[in-house]
Amino acid sequence: MAYSIGEVSKKTGLTVPTLRYYDKEGLIPNVNRNENGLRDFSDTDLGTIHIVTCIKGAGASLKEIKQ
């Protein structure tokens, strides 16, 4: 299943700019793009986002999470 960035924002509570930033910084590896160049998030990507937000909530920096 593929989700738009807006759908992922609603599901995760993260803003669209935050999701774009996480993608740009490599925290969500290999996000697919559709034929129009828009991000198509998978269920695996949603799981990765959940892990990132949990670790961030525990106090880790994004730099630490990326490593």
Side-chain angles (χ1 to χ4, degrees):
M1 175 120 196
Y3 305 96
S4 71
I5 198 164
E7 291 171 322
V8 173
S9 176
K10 288 178 185 173
K11 286 180 177 288
T12 63
L14 297 173
T15 65
V16 169
T18 297
L19 291 166
R20 287 184 181 132
Y21 180 77
Y22 284 5
D23 179 32
K24 181 180 139 209
E25 292 300 312
L27 295 169
I28 315 166
N30 305 316
V31 174
N32 289 322
R33 300 280 180 142
N34 66 20
E35 63 276 356
N36 296 321
L38 301 174
R39 292 169 183 88
D40 274 340
F41 292 88
S42 67
D43 289 323
T44 301
D45 297 327
L46 288 175
T48 301
I49 292 166
H50 178 73
I51 292 167
V52 168
T53 56
C54 286
I55 296 171
K56 188 171 185 298
S61 71
L62 294 179
K63 183 177 178 181
E64 292 171 323
I65 295 169
K66 188 175 178 179
Q67 290 175 345

